[in-house]
Each structure stands twice: as C-alpha cells, then as structure tokens.
Amino acid sequence: IMQLVESGGGSVQAGGSLTLSCAASGNTWPQYTMAWIRQSPGNEREIIATIDTDGGIGHADSVKGRFVISLDDDLQTLYLQMNNLKLEDTANYTCASRPWVTATQALRGPTYQKLWIWGQGIQVTVSS
C-alpha cells in the first residue's frame, strides 16, 4: 500500500509563501491521482489541488493563481507551492492518493476517508 509523509508546514505571515512536500513510497497503481486536501476547524475537507500520472492537473477556485501542485518525474515526491497566503488558508494540509481517477475527476471529490490513501497531515498557520 502507498505510504505518504508530508513535510514543510509551519507558520507564515499573510502574503508570504510556503512549500509543502509529500514523500510517497510503497505500492502504486498504473493510474492514480495525488492531491492536497485541507481542513480547518469547523469546516469540511476541501480538495485544493490534484495531479495525475498522465500529467493532468486541477486547482480549486479558492487557490487558483496562488497555489501550484507538482510531482517529481519519478512520481515519488509531491509538492504544493503556496504563494500570497491568506488568513483563510490556515488549515491542516494532507497529502492523499486515489487510484483509477483523473485529476479533474478527483478534484470534484468526494473526500470519503475510504476512497483515499492519506498522509498524517501537516499544519499551516497564516497570521496577520
């Protein structure tokens, strides 16, 4: 089974930048999508960016133009470059993978626990 470990979270001032990384290991599928999913207290999980093994990419409207998802050529490390961070970006960010869907399909959800392989999550806090 695929294992995912995030790194790079922390605190940053509004307007700043931060890059999250996710190291993937273990078994994979011929086709799958990797994603960044975030959740803040009192809110539902939000799929904010997806990338699939065919190079397809999707970004949620809430982060489009500010965040960029990318995947190393060896498909072992997932990144999320976050620019112009806002207070509302404060959340726990989790790297996740889901087999047999494209990035576009995965961006639409759902976020049911059993559909995805999950990392442990990492906190990002944006302050004024």
Side-chain angles (χ1 to χ4, degrees):
I1 192 170
M2 181 180 279
Q3 295 179 327
L4 304 169
V5 179
E6 301 94 338
S7 61
S11 298
V12 64
Q13 287 191 321
S17 298
L18 205 60
T19 300
L20 303 182
S21 301
C22 173
S25 61
N27 295 329
T28 60
W29 308 269
Q31 180 196 31
Y32 60 95
T33 285
M34 296 192 74
W36 289 100
I37 301 173
R38 69 183 182 186
Q39 187 171 25
S40 55
N43 293 317
E44 296 183 351
R45 291 191 188 113
E46 179 188 14
I47 302 171
I48 59 170
T50 56
I51 186 167
D52 62 40
T53 47
D54 292 324
I57 290 177
H59 293 91
D61 288 343
S62 59
V63 304
K64 198 171 292 182
R66 300 187 298 122
F67 293 9
V68 178
I69 190 172
S70 61
L71 188 61
D72 269 2
D73 289 342
D74 60 5
L75 306 183
Q76 295 298 303
T77 307
L78 179 72
Y79 299 99
L80 184 68
Q81 174 66 43
M82 304 186 292
N83 300 316
N84 190 20
L85 282 158
K86 302 177 180 180
L87 298 179
E88 53 264 40
D89 293 320
T90 294
N92 187 275
Y93 287 71
T94 304
C95 168
S97 65
R98 184 180 167 192
W100 307 116
V101 292
T102 67
T104 300
Q105 292 169 333
L107 190 65
R108 293 195 291 262
T111 59
Y112 301 146
Q113 189 78 16
K114 291 184 179 180
L115 283 179
W116 297 82
I117 302 296
W118 300 88
Q120 81 281 4
I122 196 164
Q123 182 66 28
V124 172
T125 301
V126 184
S127 60
S128 58

